[in-house]
Amino acid sequence: AALLDFPDYYGRNLDALNDCMGEVAAGAYGVLPGATGLVLVLRHFDAFAAGHRYAASQLLDIVTGWAAEAARQDRQLLCLVESAS
């Protein structure tokens, strides 16, 4: 939330993440002015997914959905997922 400059009212759940990622995809926040896009890097994602399968799946669905929407708006939102396995 802090790295993407989410608002103070961010609810810290998947629904709130989905809402805020829509704003990130639109360039409302999370992207520096003048930047051509944003790259999210999810490190050690396999460790997170091992303990939180549903949340991990939903997180990837949220990010890929908004990345597609960003592309439709001529914006770039990429997500790199690091895994040891």
Side-chain angles (χ1 to χ4, degrees), residues 15-84:
D15 289 332
L17 176 65
N18 187 46
D19 291 343
C20 286
M21 286 304 297
E23 297 297 321
V24 170
Y29 48 79
V31 181
L32 295 174
T36 59
L38 176 70
V39 177
L40 299 174
V41 179
L42 306 178
R43 300 193 65 204
H44 309 290
F45 193 77
D46 53 331
F48 171 70
H52 308 281
R53 294 182 77 112
Y54 177 78
S57 173
Q58 292 299 302
L59 172 61
L60 294 178
D61 285 348
I62 289 167
V63 172
T64 56
W66 284 116
E69 179 58 29
R72 285 189 284 276
Q73 298 177 26
D74 292 327
R75 300 185 189 288
Q76 296 179 9
L77 173 58
L78 303 175
C79 182
L80 303 177
V81 179
E82 177 193 59
S83 174

Side-chain angles (χ1 to χ4, degrees), residues 4-16:
L4 291 174
D5 199 27
F6 285 176
D8 292 338
Y9 59 83
Y10 171 63
R12 302 190 190 285
N13 59 54
L14 291 170
D15 289 332

